[in-house]
């Protein structure tokens, strides 16, 4: 698989906003509808941190040994 620098054109999202960027660091917010998906991908030199502000998110693990479910914490 050949690496690409920016894959945002590969999938549609409700909204995308870049909040900060500098060499080696970026904060990007995306909003997905219930039917939208981000295609499976991986990062070679990037650490991703995900926050769920509303609803739920399912992440499928690369090793196919299950999934991770994220949601908004109950207060």
């Amino acid at each position: 698989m050949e690496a690409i620098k920016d894959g945002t054109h590969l999938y549609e999202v409700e909204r995308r906003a870049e909040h900060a960027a500098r060499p080696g660091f970026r904060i990007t917010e995306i909003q997905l509808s219930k039917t939208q998906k981000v295609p499976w991908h991986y990062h070679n030199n990037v650490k991703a941190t995900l926050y769920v502000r509303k609803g739920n998110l399912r992440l499928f693990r690369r090793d196919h040994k299950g999934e991770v479910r994220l949601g908004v914490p109950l207060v």
Side-chain angles (χ1 to χ4, degrees):
M1 182 182 297
E2 186 178 328
I4 58 174
K5 185 172 177 76
D6 181 4
T8 58
H9 65 284
L10 298 175
Y11 57 94
E12 183 178 329
V13 298
E14 291 269 323
R15 187 174 71 84
R16 185 184 316 268
E18 188 170 281
H19 297 288
R22 67 172 198 237
F25 179 81
R26 180 175 62 210
I27 297 174
T28 303
E29 176 184 359
I30 63 170
Q31 180 179 337
L32 301 171
S33 74
K34 290 184 179 188
T35 60
Q36 291 174 322
K37 299 177 183 179
V38 174
W40 191 93
H41 65 281
Y42 68 96
H43 301 256
N44 286 327
N45 299 311
V46 174
K47 181 184 268 187
T49 302
L50 303 169
Y51 296 92
V52 177
R53 294 180 53 199
K54 182 178 178 182
N56 298 293
L57 178 68
R58 287 187 337 172
L59 302 170
F60 295 94
R61 294 173 40 156
R62 182 178 182 182
D63 59 11
H64 303 291
K65 294 182 180 177
E67 62 187 52
V68 177
R69 293 177 180 251
L70 302 174
V72 178
L74 299 174
V75 180

